[in-house]
Amino acid sequence: MRLISATSTAMALALCASASLAADGLGYGPRPAYLIDRMADGPLKDKLASCMGQTPERSDFSIGHRGAPLMFPEHTVESNRAAARMGAGILECDVTFTADHELVCRHAQNDLHTTTDILASDLAQTCVTPFTPANGDMPARAECRTSEITLAQFRTLTGKMDAADTSATTAEGYMDGTAKWRTDLYTTEGGTLMTHADSITLFKALGAKFTPELKSPSVEMPHNGFSQADYAQKLIDEYKAAGIPAADVWPQSFNLGDVLYWIENEPDFGAQAVYLDGRYDVEGFDYMDPATFDPSMQALADMGVVYIAPPMWMLLTTEGDEMVPSPYALAAKEAGLKLITWTLERSGPLTSGGGWYFQSVKDVTDTDGDYFTILHALHDKVGVEGVFSDWPATTTYYANCFGLD
């Protein structure tokens, strides 16, 4: 286990923040051009190709989803610096808590076994499910939670690409499961983990705005006296302590109760609170049938909700070979709700169907160049105000080409 003290972590953050992006410059890298080359000929390809010589500019339309985890370990300093260099105007810290109720950036309270080196460290003994090797038809498994370790212990871990090989018979093999369309090229020295407060310091220094997501706890709440309201309030308090204006923060949650808490108790921050819509998991819900929406879009607006953020596939459907707004998208717009969506370049190449995030348009996508086709449908036809991306250079390029701030 590599030991990193709180002091050295703070120093690493300071060093990262000290080199301004004004000096480093923004850049797209080769991927946007690569995707444009693979698009079908037509007006959209011509428009995007005409922007090849443009100067990259930061855009709030481009949201770094856990940083830039297509190639960098998510929720690390390195991942977020990469996203900022690609022009992401807003960066994300998914927020959970440790045993001593300190807020840290992790996609889930119980993901340390797939996103860090915990199974190779002395902290493996804290895992609620120790590593168990694959055996016959039984896959390998493990579960390690931030709620089982202190902040000081959390800081000793390093980030890795989020992956696990469930056919593995050793912990080392289990941790070595990165999908072939991602990469371990930028993980050789490990990723620097962050607290939520660290992320605020870093994102501010990078010139980006903030979209923290309050993650659902894996432990029963209240947790040793720490209530859900305490949890939601502490997230906001850390922005206040850092002097961050509410207008630069879009707090998110899948829990509508958290969003309503912010609206009622922190109205300045609640005005930009984002309800992440996970109702696709609710029995009977059909994004193509507004009669199944409970609460309805208008009811959400009447509660004070301003922003709603479903996965991309819920906003699009097809008519022939065209992508068009879904009934879900039309109902949200009719109620006056603002739309943000997730996550571009997340679940695999479009040449093989694109996976879960692209299920509603899979019949009209057959090349990775269609990432731009999807972006254009989301912006031009649906009217989304921001798109989370695992590789923000793509969304930034599109935003710059179409003049989106």
Side-chain angles (χ1 to χ4, degrees):
M1 177 175 66
R2 189 179 76 174
L3 295 177
I4 305 177
S5 69
T7 300
S8 62
T9 300
M11 183 179 296
L13 283 166
L15 288 172
C16 284
S18 65
S20 72
L21 288 178
D24 293 345
L26 304 182
Y28 301 125
R31 186 158 179 78
Y34 169 86
L35 297 177
I36 293 167
D37 287 345
R38 279 150 181 78
M39 294 179 68
D41 290 339
L44 179 58
K45 180 175 183 177
D46 292 344
K47 169 64 175 175
L48 291 167
S50 74
C51 297
M52 286 288 188
Q54 68 186 359
T55 300
E57 296 182 5
R58 193 178 313 284
S59 172
D60 290 352
F61 181 81
S62 181
I63 306 172
H65 180 243
R66 316 181 205 174
L70 185 66
M71 294 190 183
F72 289 82
E74 65 183 48
H75 289 313
T76 60
V77 170
E78 294 79 6
S79 185
N80 282 287
R81 280 188 62 78
R85 282 177 169 147
M86 295 177 203
I90 303 172
L91 297 174
E92 179 187 44
C93 169
D94 289 331
V95 177
T96 188
F97 58 84
T98 59
D100 44 355
H101 300 150
E102 296 296 332
L103 303 185
V104 296
C105 299
R106 286 293 91 199
H107 180 242
Q109 192 165 59
N110 62 339
D111 75 357
L112 293 179
H113 50 290
T114 64
T115 64
T116 75
D117 63 346
I118 192 170
L119 292 178
S121 77
D122 294 340
L123 294 175
Q125 62 186 350
T126 69
C127 296
V128 295
T129 301
F131 171 73
T132 305
N135 184 10
D137 293 334
M138 292 294 295
R141 59 193 183 279
E143 182 182 353
C144 308
R145 300 177 178 175
T146 60
S147 53
E148 300 300 313
I149 60 176
T150 65
L151 175 59
Q153 291 172 317
F154 176 83
R155 287 198 182 278
T156 68
L157 300 174
T158 59
K160 73 176 192 68
M161 295 298 283
D162 182 14
D165 180 357
T166 58
S167 68
T169 57
T170 65
E172 291 75 15
Y174 181 81
M175 292 189 295
D176 186 21
T178 303
K180 65 181 181 181
W181 46 272
R182 294 183 183 271
T183 181
D184 288 314
L185 181 63
Y186 302 110
T187 66
T188 56
E189 296 184 19
T192 307
L193 303 190
M194 300 184 295
T195 67
H196 178 234
D198 288 340
S199 78
I200 295 172
T201 300
L202 179 64
F203 298 176
K204 181 179 179 180
L206 293 172
K209 298 174 184 175
F210 314 82
T211 186
E213 180 188 337
L214 198 72
K215 302 302 295 189
S216 297
S218 299
V219 295
E220 186 175 349
M221 299 292 279
H223 180 260
N224 297 334
F226 189 60
S227 70
Q228 187 69 25
D230 294 334
Y231 182 28
Q233 186 62 51
K234 186 165 186 174
L235 180 145
I236 300 300
D237 287 345
E238 294 196 346
Y239 288 95
K240 289 177 158 183
I244 304 297
D248 288 349
V249 184
W250 286 262
Q252 318 167 68
S253 181
F254 279 98
N255 180 354
L256 181 57
D258 294 334
V259 175
L260 298 179
Y261 174 88
W262 292 322
I263 291 170
E264 179 178 356
N265 295 280
E266 291 288 351
D268 289 344
F269 288 88
Q272 293 193 156
V274 181
Y275 173 42
L276 296 165
D277 196 347
R279 289 179 291 176
Y280 47 80
D281 276 338
V282 175
E283 184 176 357
F285 176 89
D286 181 357
Y287 81 106
M288 295 292 286
D289 182 4
T292 68
F293 302 172
D294 183 19
S296 69
M297 297 297 186
Q298 188 58 55
L300 288 170
D302 291 344
M303 294 175 194
V305 175
V306 176
Y307 286 90
I308 188 169
M312 291 183 300
W313 62 265
M314 284 171 54
L315 294 174
L316 295 171
T317 187
T318 57
E319 289 181 359
D321 293 334
E322 297 295 316
M323 299 179 195
V324 297
S326 68
Y328 177 103
L330 296 173
K333 298 298 285 185
E334 184 178 358
L337 295 171
K338 297 181 180 181
L339 290 165
I340 297 171
T341 192
W342 40 280
T343 302
L344 200 72
E345 301 186 76
R346 179 66 190 170
S347 59
L350 294 178
T351 51
S352 54
W356 186 85
Y357 290 86
F358 306 96
Q359 57 189 281
S360 66
V361 296
K362 63 182 177 63
D363 291 339
V364 296
T365 56
D366 55 14
T367 169
D368 283 357
D370 284 327
Y371 283 125
F372 277 124
T373 311
I374 293 165
L375 266 180
H376 192 57
L378 290 168
H379 159 241
D380 187 57
K381 298 180 180 180
V382 176
V384 300
E385 299 195 2
V387 177
F388 283 87
S389 177
D390 273 20
W391 199 245
T394 305
T395 40
T396 303
Y397 185 96
Y398 178 90
N400 290 172
C401 193
F402 282 88
L404 308 180
D405 293 334

